[in-house]
Amino acid sequence: MGAAQSNECASSPEELSSVLAERFATKCFTPLELTHFKDNFFSRALEQGGLRYWNEKILSDFLGIPDGIYTSSHEQSLDAGPVIFRMVSYLGAFPFQNTLAPSVLTFEAMVKVVVLLTERYGKALKRGHKDRTKLLFGSLADVGRKKPPAGFNGEFTFKDSETSAAHSHTQGFSIDEPANDEYDEDEDDDLALAALESLDAIEVFKHDHRVDKTVYETRISIDTFRRLVMLLLVIAPLNPSESLKGYTSGLDVRRMELVKNEADSIIVAFSPEESDGGISYKTFARTISLSLPYLFDPLTALFEHMLFSKNLNLSQRRQKDLASETKQEESEENEEHPSPTATLTLPGSFESAILTPTLTSHLSFFLPSTSPDINILRSSISLHPVFSTNAHGSSLTYFSHHVLTWQSPTLLILQGSLADSPNEDLITLGAYIPETWKTSISTSGSSSKTSDLLSCLFQLSPKHMLLPGNPSTSATKPNTPTAYFSPNTGIAIGCKIPAPSRTHQTYPSPHGAGSLIIDANLETAEFHVAPFGHDGTFLPAANASPEDRPTKFKLDLYTLEIWGIVPDPEASFSADPNLSPVEIQRAKWEFEAREAERRRNINIKAGAGDPATESARWLLEAAGIIGNEARYAGGRV
């Protein structure tokens, strides 16, 4: 039956859902991908009443999702299999998830799941867009809904094959009592509308869409969301060609404690309210879009595994090689996979004391690469060690020598604890700086920009908070650079820089929604945050409330690190294609060292009082080669 005939005959949600799955399969996958998909599904599928389907165990086993792993407090921390199964059962009913969910995982249902989670629907839906937030929220919401049938894990029984088609979907969720009435009545589900428009089935959709408004009245429980976020932290660097076991097989109690703590820092950003049962849609949508845009990226790589079948690859080899090659592949899967930190950072003068694999995964949930559509772990960029207080000490001379000569974006990250407080819990802060650093002897013009991406100031623990860069500040207000350095006042991020004075020392001042000030001894840091202020370098955080008050806290600084962004290890910053970015940067550092040595040999003090000598001295001071300003440029008199 042709597509047009199928549309004419389809009059029920079940029939329309099947037709949409057929369209997704033909439009969104290549013939080779579809062949691999079919082999993966049907080679593992159960059969009941003539219907082939997957249950929760088959799904978890195929994806490699481990069973629960316990922390030292005997709390089951990583048990994401039921959460993933719940999400998939909801998405498999698209776009009638309110009347057909939870869906039995038939081949048609799994086609829609993979298309939605890998964002491949653009080829099939004219109005489709990348905002999956509402669907993802609905798939996770479990407060305010009646639970699916007891023990539901994808299993079902039919009396005969004639009734199996009519009951291929179990009865949908329903709502008990509204728990959150803060939603926009006029908001449309553009993705679902695009799907139904493509099938000329808007009228059928309208009935289901009236029920769909109830998605705003539900909440995601904290326990459900924690289990998912912990899985995402563990598998953040996963590629479609990699086995999930490489990331989950080496988890121990200590690592799980770190993962759980990082997940809790992220969950706090959603302002969960225990009394109301969890995370509301309004908070979820706003936090995801503005503060954690790449949080669900690991699911894309995870479900792209459906499009690669090892069976088809092995079938092309001789039978006598199957046993040895299968054994080799199993051995490779059991090998410890490189941590996301190892794959992201380049070797250099120090190893990070801050960038653990878990924290690096956290960074990938909001830090973009060279493109705003790709997170930092999905691209070819790397981080090169530039400066660390652990390796280089607290000297601003070393800081200026290493940092001020770096000609690409940088990542600043630090850890400390609250000053004068018995609580020594770590606080982790950072900033992405796309511009070259501005110094006290820089010209009055705005600092050069080496990236099209906006800056950001962030806190990772104990609460995730992202203050995005203000696109209108750096170009129009040169006195508010993203990053500023002075040998007398230290480091300032997002501050207002006063005009220099001949009579007294001036200091950067906090400005706008967020600022970070580090003293000249690199011993303390002050973090300023306000729920308002759109005239500064950074805008207010997504989870800021107008009722919040400006806050400031002072840290005893333990570690400060600066990492240079290398767009591509094989690319070049200059016209010389034979040099890598790191080689060019090392050449700059070596040149600075030679210049510093040459300045030491200048005996400018000889002939004091001579007009020619005094004139030469004035020129050198103006150029920052000698005098006070030379201290952080690498020279001294």
Side-chain angles (χ1 to χ4, degrees):
M1 180 179 293
Q5 291 176 313
S6 297
N7 289 356
E8 291 175 2
C9 297
S11 58
S12 67
E14 291 84 357
E15 292 170 327
L16 288 168
S17 181
S18 178
V19 172
L20 181 63
E22 179 184 352
R23 177 167 298 185
F24 275 177
T26 57
K27 297 286 187 180
C28 301
F29 303 128
T30 66
L32 182 59
E33 288 175 335
L34 192 56
T35 299
H36 280 261
F37 196 159
K38 289 180 178 179
D39 182 76
N40 277 327
F41 181 85
F42 289 108
S43 64
R44 295 168 174 82
L46 301 174
E47 183 174 356
Q48 180 73 40
L51 193 68
R52 308 288 294 276
Y53 68 98
W54 280 17
N55 61 12
E56 180 180 334
K57 184 179 186 306
I58 295 175
L59 178 69
S60 295
D61 289 347
F62 175 78
L63 296 178
I65 300 174
D67 295 331
I69 299 177
Y70 293 82
T71 63
S72 58
S73 61
H74 304 290
E75 178 180 354
Q76 189 166 337
S77 296
L78 188 60
D79 185 23
V83 178
I84 295 296
F85 180 74
R86 176 190 172 83
M87 295 178 68
V88 169
S89 300
Y90 180 90
L91 297 174
F94 175 81
F96 299 102
Q97 53 269 20
N98 291 283
T99 54
L100 300 182
S103 169
V104 172
L105 299 187
T106 62
F107 177 73
E108 290 78 10
M110 287 300 295
V111 164
K112 290 186 288 182
V113 167
V114 175
V115 167
L116 292 172
L117 290 180
T118 60
E119 300 184 275
R120 292 169 174 261
Y121 44 76
K123 295 180 180 180
L125 304 179
K126 182 172 61 176
R127 290 183 57 197
H129 57 74
K130 295 183 178 180
D131 185 8
R132 303 170 297 166
T133 304
K134 184 178 178 182
L135 276 174
L136 291 171
F137 178 86
S139 70
L140 289 166
D142 51 4
V143 177
R145 293 187 186 273
K146 286 183 179 178
K147 296 182 179 180
F152 176 75
N153 64 350
E155 304 283 3
F156 57 95
T157 56
F158 297 127
K159 294 181 179 180
D160 53 56
S161 59
E162 292 181 358
T163 60
S164 63
H167 295 83
S168 60
H169 299 277
T170 60
Q171 185 176 356
F173 295 119
S174 60
I175 305 300
D176 288 333
E177 296 293 337
N180 175 30
D181 57 0
E182 296 179 351
Y183 63 88
D184 184 357
E185 289 285 357
D186 297 326
E187 180 178 342
D188 288 328
D189 187 341
D190 291 342
L191 183 56
L193 287 177
L196 274 298
E197 277 186 354
S198 69
L199 302 177
D200 296 324
I202 294 297
E203 291 301 321
V204 181
F205 173 69
K206 285 181 178 178
H207 173 74
D208 187 84
H209 192 59
R210 284 195 294 271
V211 183
D212 189 54
K213 290 295 183 182
T214 58
V215 72
Y216 300 103
E217 300 168 354
T218 59
R219 291 180 181 270
I220 302 173
S221 71
I222 298 172
D223 176 68
T224 295
F225 199 50
R226 179 184 290 113
R227 286 189 285 170
L228 176 63
V229 172
M230 290 182 68
L231 176 68
L232 298 178
L233 284 167
V234 170
I235 69 171
L238 178 71
N239 291 320
S241 59
E242 296 176 331
S243 169
L244 190 69
K245 294 180 180 178
Y247 294 94
T248 59
S249 60
L251 296 175
D252 54 20
V253 172
R254 181 178 178 276
R255 173 74 192 283
M256 290 310 304
E257 290 283 0
L258 295 175
V259 173
K260 181 179 180 297
N261 291 338
E262 205 72 34
D264 287 341
S265 296
I266 292 174
I267 293 172
V268 174
F270 290 83
S271 303
E273 300 177 11
E274 295 278 4
S275 59
D276 291 337
I279 301 168
S280 68
Y281 171 76
K282 183 179 180 181
T283 301
F284 180 86
R286 181 173 178 80
T287 306
I288 291 295
S289 61
L290 299 179
S291 189
L292 292 159
Y294 312 117
L295 178 63
F296 294 102
D297 279 13
L299 294 180
T300 297
L302 182 62
F303 279 87
E304 282 186 351
H305 282 72
M306 292 291 302
L307 307 179
F308 174 77
S309 171
K310 293 181 179 180
N311 295 333
L312 295 184
N313 278 2
L314 292 175
S315 65
Q316 299 174 4
R317 299 180 173 92
R318 295 180 180 180
Q319 186 67 29
K320 65 179 181 179
D321 296 331
L322 289 181
S324 61
E325 291 185 2
T326 301
K327 184 177 180 180
Q328 180 180 355
E329 288 184 355
E330 291 176 352
S331 176
E332 291 175 354
E333 286 186 1
N334 292 330
E335 291 180 0
E336 185 176 354
H337 196 275
S339 71
T341 305
T343 59
L344 183 63
T345 59
L346 297 173
S349 58
F350 65 89
E351 293 185 1
S352 179
I354 301 177
L355 294 179
T356 64
T358 305
L359 190 139
T360 303
S361 295
H362 188 167
L363 288 174
S364 73
F365 293 161
F366 65 92
L367 272 187
S369 62
T370 53
S371 166
D373 295 329
I374 306 174
N375 75 54
I376 196 170
L377 283 180
R378 299 280 174 217
S379 63
S380 57
I381 73 168
S382 300
L383 299 180
H384 186 272
V386 175
F387 175 81
S388 168
T389 53
N390 284 359
H392 303 108
S394 300
S395 169
L396 287 181
T397 299
Y398 281 104
F399 179 90
S400 62
H401 169 66
H402 288 82
V403 177
L404 270 61
T405 56
W406 186 265
Q407 297 301 306
S408 73
T410 52
L411 176 67
L412 177 150
I413 191 162
L414 63 85
Q415 283 185 336
S417 64
L418 289 175
D420 302 325
S421 172
N423 186 354
E424 296 184 357
D425 291 343
L426 282 180
I427 296 176
T428 307
L429 306 174
Y432 170 72
I433 304 165
E435 306 168 356
T436 54
W437 283 68
K438 187 179 179 68
T439 70
S440 57
I441 60 169
S442 298
T443 60
S444 59
S446 60
S447 56
S448 60
K449 193 171 185 179
T450 54
S451 172
D452 293 331
L453 301 176
L454 291 175
S455 60
C456 65
L457 182 64
F458 55 85
Q459 176 178 314
L460 299 182
S461 64
K463 175 183 179 179
H464 172 89
M465 179 169 53
L466 177 66
L467 288 80
N470 189 342
S472 63
T473 300
S474 59
T476 59
K477 298 179 179 180
N479 65 329
T480 57
T482 303
Y484 171 85
F485 167 82
S486 167
N488 298 318
T489 62
I491 301 168
I493 308 294
C495 293
K496 190 172 185 178
I497 310 303
S501 173
R502 292 180 178 272
T503 60
H504 64 279
Q505 178 65 56
T506 59
Y507 292 88
S509 58
H511 185 61
S515 300
L516 177 64
I517 300 175
I518 304 171
D519 75 322
N521 296 320
L522 303 185
E523 294 179 348
T524 62
E526 289 186 1
F527 187 46
H528 299 256
V529 182
F532 50 80
H534 289 73
D535 58 343
T537 303
F538 303 105
L539 299 174
N543 48 4
S545 171
E547 300 175 356
D548 296 340
R549 294 182 178 180
T551 59
K552 177 187 78 171
F553 54 83
K554 188 174 182 179
L555 299 179
D556 289 329
L557 189 58
Y558 296 160
T559 307
L560 168 68
E561 296 179 355
I562 305 290
W563 293 83
I565 308 293
V566 181
D568 189 331
E570 303 298 328
S572 175
F573 286 138
S574 69
D576 188 349
N578 298 318
L579 295 178
S580 71
V582 175
E583 290 172 334
I584 293 172
Q585 191 61 48
R586 287 173 180 166
K588 290 179 180 290
W589 286 335
E590 291 173 0
F591 173 78
E592 287 289 327
R594 290 195 300 269
E595 284 296 295
E597 183 64 27
R598 181 182 65 82
R599 292 164 191 157
R600 292 188 185 99
N601 297 325
I602 296 179
N603 189 11
I604 196 65
K605 293 182 179 180
D610 179 71
T613 302
E614 291 298 327
S615 177
R617 182 182 181 88
W618 181 86
L619 288 173
L620 291 174
E621 287 180 344
I625 295 177
I626 65 173
N628 291 333
E629 301 296 353
R631 286 188 297 166
Y632 65 91
R636 65 180 177 87
V637 176

